[in-house]
Amino acid sequence: MLAIIGGSSLNELPHVKITRRQVVRTPYGEPSCGLTFGDINGLDVVFLARHGYAHTLQPHEINYRANIWALAEQKVSRIISVGSVGGIRKDLKPGTLVVPDQLIDYTYGRANTFFEGSLQPVRHVDFTDPYTPDARSCILLAARRQGIPVVDGGTYACTQGPRLETAAEIRRLEGDGADMVGMTGMPEAVLARELGVPYATICLVGNYAAGKGENKHHIDIGAATQILDDHMQQVLSILGAICADEFCALSGSAAAVAE
Ligand code: HPA
């Protein structure tokens, strides 16, 4: 079963054949919403809306641990998450899709590990490549097969939000090597790693980051939301193709997934 985490502008999956919904509780509290189980192109999927179905949870209010725990408990094969970002690099203009391969975490005060408590031995996870290469490849391959342009790689800076950044903060992130900026990529990615669940993310650029592109003094948030709404169909097409590929792979029809 594939897990999909939807972000802003993706609070439900329109093309999923829903089989059931389930409210789950975890040792870390309740996830953002109940889990929706269903089928896309033959593949079993479980969907979770990161900000809740009514889009009411701010990035710092999300219970990332409960979300990842709930999905891992379903024994999912991988998590594909969807998020919106601001483009820092010039080619990451509004409407662009990008699959980052690196991240920098600027968040604070978020519960960001499962490894805590006096009864647990000290543990560390390798996080050199924060996104699972195999999960990234399946997004990129599915996009290619759909003929949807996607930028392969880039560094995601995760800020605390919910406010957008200042122009000076964006210049600093750029100096640090960041290509795009979002508010929800962490600790989601590391929590998946701690539980050993392959994880990758598709980012949709809603706006140029503060001070970039046409945003010298102002970001038009309404325009950014419109861009996300207008381009989400491409993300849905990619998710559908990922499911079709995985279904074919599972059912052994390798010819169907060949290029
Ligand atoms: N900054 C942070 N997160 C975002 C942005 C941004 O400019 N756009 C979409 N998510």
Side-chain angles (χ1 to χ4, degrees):
M1 180 160 55
L2 177 76
I4 298 170
I5 301 179
S8 297
S9 296
L10 191 63
N11 297 316
E12 53 186 291
L13 283 183
H15 57 326
V16 69
K17 276 190 235 136
I18 297 175
T19 49
R20 70 191 164 96
R21 292 187 200 269
Q22 188 184 332
V23 173
V24 288
R25 289 196 178 77
T26 78
Y28 301 93
E30 290 199 17
S32 298
C33 56
L35 302 182
T36 300
F37 293 85
D39 166 317
I40 300 178
N41 292 333
L43 189 78
D44 288 336
V45 298
V46 52
F47 176 76
L48 185 144
R50 187 189 284 119
H51 297 277
Y53 287 123
H55 203 254
T56 47
L57 294 171
Q58 305 286 342
H60 64 286
E61 293 174 327
I62 293 165
N63 188 340
Y64 295 93
R65 288 197 298 188
N67 287 353
I68 297 298
W69 184 274
L71 295 176
E73 212 173 32
Q74 309 305 317
K75 306 271 179 282
V76 297
S77 54
R78 51 174 77 105
I79 298 173
I80 303 294
S81 86
V82 180
S84 64
V85 291
I88 298 177
R89 214 169 71 196
K90 209 171 184 177
D91 62 313
L92 298 184
K93 57 178 188 295
T96 306
L97 288 172
V98 52
V99 178
D101 60 355
Q102 275 300 327
L103 68 77
I104 305 176
D105 187 9
Y106 297 91
T107 65
Y108 47 87
R110 300 183 183 187
N112 63 2
T113 182
F114 291 112
F115 299 166
E116 63 182 16
S118 54
L119 296 179
Q120 287 204 43
V122 173
R123 288 172 69 186
H124 305 285
V125 282
D126 172 54
F127 206 44
T128 311
D129 282 326
Y131 303 105
T132 314
D134 173 61
R136 290 188 68 254
S137 302
C138 87
I139 301 172
L140 294 166
L141 184 63
R144 183 141 44 94
R145 283 158 45 75
Q146 292 294 299
I148 298 173
V150 170
V151 176
D152 177 1
T155 298
Y156 177 112
C158 191
T159 54
Q160 178 72 357
R163 67 167 176 84
L164 296 174
E165 301 71 32
T166 66
E169 285 169 335
I170 292 298
R171 285 197 297 274
R172 172 186 160 208
L173 300 191
E174 188 175 29
D176 286 355
D179 299 306
M180 71 204 91
V181 56
M183 300 176 191
T184 55
M186 280 294 279
E188 208 172 79
V190 74
L191 292 170
R193 178 64 51 86
E194 285 188 355
L195 294 186
V197 184
Y199 174 96
T201 187
I202 314 177
C203 294
L204 175 51
V205 181
N207 56 282
Y208 270 121
K212 295 289 171 191
E214 70 283 8
N215 300 332
K216 291 287 168 272
H217 300 289
H218 172 74
I219 293 179
D220 182 339
I221 293 171
T225 306
Q226 191 62 50
I227 292 274
L228 297 177
D229 288 345
D230 290 348
H231 290 78
M232 203 46 81
Q233 186 52 48
Q234 292 189 317
V235 174
L236 293 173
S237 302
I238 294 171
L239 291 172
I242 292 171
C243 292
D245 287 353
E246 193 152 325
F247 176 70
C248 290
L250 284 174
S251 55
S253 49
V257 289
E259 284 283 282

mmCIF file with all atom_site columns, all heavy atoms in Angstrom, residues 84-86 159 164-165 181-183 207 209, ligand 1:
data_model
loop_
_atom_site.group_PDB
_atom_site.id
_atom_site.type_symbol
_atom_site.label_atom_id
_atom_site.label_alt_id
_atom_site.label_comp_id
_atom_site.label_asym_id
_atom_site.label_entity_id
_atom_site.label_seq_id
_atom_site.pdbx_PDB_ins_code
_atom_site.Cartn_x
_atom_site.Cartn_y
_atom_site.Cartn_z
_atom_site.occupancy
_atom_site.B_iso_or_equiv
_atom_site.pdbx_formal_charge
_atom_site.auth_seq_id
_atom_site.auth_comp_id
_atom_site.auth_asym_id
_atom_site.auth_atom_id
_atom_site.pdbx_PDB_model_num
ATOM   1  N N   . SER A 1 84  ? 3.707  22.645 -0.927 1.00 0.00 ? 84  SER A N   1
ATOM   2  C CA  . SER A 1 84  ? 3.898  23.846 -1.738 1.00 0.00 ? 84  SER A CA  1
ATOM   3  C C   . SER A 1 84  ? 5.158  24.557 -1.248 1.00 0.00 ? 84  SER A C   1
ATOM   4  O O   . SER A 1 84  ? 5.522  24.462 -0.077 1.00 0.00 ? 84  SER A O   1
ATOM   5  C CB  . SER A 1 84  ? 2.688  24.768 -1.616 1.00 0.00 ? 84  SER A CB  1
ATOM   6  O OG  . SER A 1 84  ? 2.583  25.222 -0.289 1.00 0.00 ? 84  SER A OG  1
ATOM   7  N N   . VAL A 1 85  ? 5.817  25.230 -2.163 1.00 0.00 ? 85  VAL A N   1
ATOM   8  C CA  . VAL A 1 85  ? 7.050  25.948 -1.822 1.00 0.00 ? 85  VAL A CA  1
ATOM   9  C C   . VAL A 1 85  ? 7.091  27.300 -2.524 1.00 0.00 ? 85  VAL A C   1
ATOM   10 O O   . VAL A 1 85  ? 6.370  27.537 -3.503 1.00 0.00 ? 85  VAL A O   1
ATOM   11 C CB  . VAL A 1 85  ? 8.323  25.152 -2.229 1.00 0.00 ? 85  VAL A CB  1
ATOM   12 C CG1 . VAL A 1 85  ? 8.498  23.906 -1.381 1.00 0.00 ? 85  VAL A CG1 1
ATOM   13 C CG2 . VAL A 1 85  ? 8.322  24.813 -3.714 1.00 0.00 ? 85  VAL A CG2 1
ATOM   14 N N   . GLY A 1 86  ? 7.982  28.146 -2.018 1.00 0.00 ? 86  GLY A N   1
ATOM   15 C CA  . GLY A 1 86  ? 8.342  29.368 -2.707 1.00 0.00 ? 86  GLY A CA  1
ATOM   16 C C   . GLY A 1 86  ? 9.654  29.116 -3.437 1.00 0.00 ? 86  GLY A C   1
ATOM   17 O O   . GLY A 1 86  ? 10.559 28.474 -2.894 1.00 0.00 ? 86  GLY A O   1
ATOM   18 N N   . THR A 1 159 ? 11.135 26.322 6.818  1.00 0.00 ? 159 THR A N   1
ATOM   19 C CA  . THR A 1 159 ? 11.038 27.405 7.797  1.00 0.00 ? 159 THR A CA  1
ATOM   20 C C   . THR A 1 159 ? 9.844  27.159 8.721  1.00 0.00 ? 159 THR A C   1
ATOM   21 O O   . THR A 1 159 ? 8.998  26.308 8.455  1.00 0.00 ? 159 THR A O   1
ATOM   22 C CB  . THR A 1 159 ? 10.894 28.771 7.103  1.00 0.00 ? 159 THR A CB  1
ATOM   23 O OG1 . THR A 1 159 ? 9.789  28.709 6.197  1.00 0.00 ? 159 THR A OG1 1
ATOM   24 C CG2 . THR A 1 159 ? 12.153 29.142 6.337  1.00 0.00 ? 159 THR A CG2 1
ATOM   25 N N   . LEU A 1 164 ? 5.272  34.186 6.043  1.00 0.00 ? 164 LEU A N   1
ATOM   26 C CA  . LEU A 1 164 ? 6.289  34.039 5.011  1.00 0.00 ? 164 LEU A CA  1
ATOM   27 C C   . LEU A 1 164 ? 7.571  34.714 5.487  1.00 0.00 ? 164 LEU A C   1
ATOM   28 O O   . LEU A 1 164 ? 7.590  35.417 6.505  1.00 0.00 ? 164 LEU A O   1
ATOM   29 C CB  . LEU A 1 164 ? 5.788  34.648 3.696  1.00 0.00 ? 164 LEU A CB  1
ATOM   30 C CG  . LEU A 1 164 ? 4.568  33.932 3.101  1.00 0.00 ? 164 LEU A CG  1
ATOM   31 C CD1 . LEU A 1 164 ? 4.036  34.681 1.888  1.00 0.00 ? 164 LEU A CD1 1
ATOM   32 C CD2 . LEU A 1 164 ? 4.906  32.495 2.723  1.00 0.00 ? 164 LEU A CD2 1
ATOM   33 N N   . GLU A 1 165 ? 8.643  34.518 4.748  1.00 0.00 ? 165 GLU A N   1
ATOM   34 C CA  . GLU A 1 165 ? 9.949  35.003 5.165  1.00 0.00 ? 165 GLU A CA  1
ATOM   35 C C   . GLU A 1 165 ? 10.153 36.457 4.763  1.00 0.00 ? 165 GLU A C   1
ATOM   36 O O   . GLU A 1 165 ? 9.458  36.972 3.898  1.00 0.00 ? 165 GLU A O   1
ATOM   37 C CB  . GLU A 1 165 ? 11.050 34.140 4.512  1.00 0.00 ? 165 GLU A CB  1
ATOM   38 C CG  . GLU A 1 165 ? 10.986 32.667 4.856  1.00 0.00 ? 165 GLU A CG  1
ATOM   39 C CD  . GLU A 1 165 ? 9.822  31.931 4.209  1.00 0.00 ? 165 GLU A CD  1
ATOM   40 O OE1 . GLU A 1 165 ? 9.426  32.312 3.086  1.00 0.00 ? 165 GLU A OE1 1
ATOM   41 O OE2 . GLU A 1 165 ? 9.298  30.992 4.840  1.00 0.00 ? 165 GLU A OE2 1
ATOM   42 N N   . VAL A 1 181 ? 11.704 27.101 -0.614 1.00 0.00 ? 181 VAL A N   1
ATOM   43 C CA  . VAL A 1 181 ? 11.393 27.220 0.809  1.00 0.00 ? 181 VAL A CA  1
ATOM   44 C C   . VAL A 1 181 ? 9.942  26.801 1.050  1.00 0.00 ? 181 VAL A C   1
ATOM   45 O O   . VAL A 1 181 ? 9.039  27.188 0.319  1.00 0.00 ? 181 VAL A O   1
ATOM   46 C CB  . VAL A 1 181 ? 11.678 28.663 1.317  1.00 0.00 ? 181 VAL A CB  1
ATOM   47 C CG1 . VAL A 1 181 ? 10.925 29.718 0.525  1.00 0.00 ? 181 VAL A CG1 1
ATOM   48 C CG2 . VAL A 1 181 ? 11.356 28.803 2.801  1.00 0.00 ? 181 VAL A CG2 1
ATOM   49 N N   . GLY A 1 182 ? 9.770  25.962 2.075  1.00 0.00 ? 182 GLY A N   1
ATOM   50 C CA  . GLY A 1 182 ? 8.440  25.519 2.474  1.00 0.00 ? 182 GLY A CA  1
ATOM   51 C C   . GLY A 1 182 ? 8.377  25.435 3.993  1.00 0.00 ? 182 GLY A C   1
ATOM   52 O O   . GLY A 1 182 ? 9.365  25.735 4.674  1.00 0.00 ? 182 GLY A O   1
ATOM   53 N N   . MET A 1 183 ? 7.226  25.055 4.526  1.00 0.00 ? 183 MET A N   1
ATOM   54 C CA  . MET A 1 183 ? 7.070  25.073 5.994  1.00 0.00 ? 183 MET A CA  1
ATOM   55 C C   . MET A 1 183 ? 6.764  23.721 6.606  1.00 0.00 ? 183 MET A C   1
ATOM   56 O O   . MET A 1 183 ? 6.661  23.619 7.824  1.00 0.00 ? 183 MET A O   1
ATOM   57 C CB  . MET A 1 183 ? 5.943  26.036 6.373  1.00 0.00 ? 183 MET A CB  1
ATOM   58 C CG  . MET A 1 183 ? 6.161  27.468 5.946  1.00 0.00 ? 183 MET A CG  1
ATOM   59 S SD  . MET A 1 183 ? 4.733  28.478 6.342  1.00 0.00 ? 183 MET A SD  1
ATOM   60 C CE  . MET A 1 183 ? 5.135  29.982 5.456  1.00 0.00 ? 183 MET A CE  1
ATOM   61 N N   . ASN A 1 207 ? 4.825  30.435 -5.642 1.00 0.00 ? 207 ASN A N   1
ATOM   62 C CA  . ASN A 1 207 ? 5.244  31.848 -5.745 1.00 0.00 ? 207 ASN A CA  1
ATOM   63 C C   . ASN A 1 207 ? 6.763  31.892 -5.743 1.00 0.00 ? 207 ASN A C   1
ATOM   64 O O   . ASN A 1 207 ? 7.410  30.937 -5.307 1.00 0.00 ? 207 ASN A O   1
ATOM   65 C CB  . ASN A 1 207 ? 4.722  32.634 -4.534 1.00 0.00 ? 207 ASN A CB  1
ATOM   66 C CG  . ASN A 1 207 ? 5.175  32.004 -3.222 1.00 0.00 ? 207 ASN A CG  1
ATOM   67 O OD1 . ASN A 1 207 ? 4.603  30.993 -2.780 1.00 0.00 ? 207 ASN A OD1 1
ATOM   68 N ND2 . ASN A 1 207 ? 6.193  32.554 -2.600 1.00 0.00 ? 207 ASN A ND2 1
ATOM   69 N N   . ALA A 1 209 ? 9.895  33.254 -3.832 1.00 0.00 ? 209 ALA A N   1
ATOM   70 C CA  . ALA A 1 209 ? 10.094 33.580 -2.414 1.00 0.00 ? 209 ALA A CA  1
ATOM   71 C C   . ALA A 1 209 ? 10.278 35.099 -2.255 1.00 0.00 ? 209 ALA A C   1
ATOM   72 O O   . ALA A 1 209 ? 10.513 35.820 -3.235 1.00 0.00 ? 209 ALA A O   1
ATOM   73 C CB  . ALA A 1 209 ? 11.303 32.825 -1.880 1.00 0.00 ? 209 ALA A CB  1
HETATM 74 N N1  . HPA B 2 .   ? 7.717  30.441 1.928  1.00 0.00 ? 1   HPA B N1  1
HETATM 75 C C1  . HPA B 2 .   ? 7.466  29.382 2.716  1.00 0.00 ? 1   HPA B C1  1
HETATM 76 N N2  . HPA B 2 .   ? 6.602  28.432 2.405  1.00 0.00 ? 1   HPA B N2  1
HETATM 77 C C2  . HPA B 2 .   ? 5.941  28.555 1.235  1.00 0.00 ? 1   HPA B C2  1
HETATM 78 C C3  . HPA B 2 .   ? 6.149  29.643 0.390  1.00 0.00 ? 1   HPA B C3  1
HETATM 79 C C4  . HPA B 2 .   ? 7.086  30.633 0.746  1.00 0.00 ? 1   HPA B C4  1
HETATM 80 O O1  . HPA B 2 .   ? 7.324  31.620 0.019  1.00 0.00 ? 1   HPA B O1  1
HETATM 81 N N3  . HPA B 2 .   ? 5.329  29.470 -0.675 1.00 0.00 ? 1   HPA B N3  1
HETATM 82 C C5  . HPA B 2 .   ? 4.654  28.307 -0.468 1.00 0.00 ? 1   HPA B C5  1
HETATM 83 N N4  . HPA B 2 .   ? 5.022  27.749 0.689  1.00 0.00 ? 1   HPA B N4  1
#
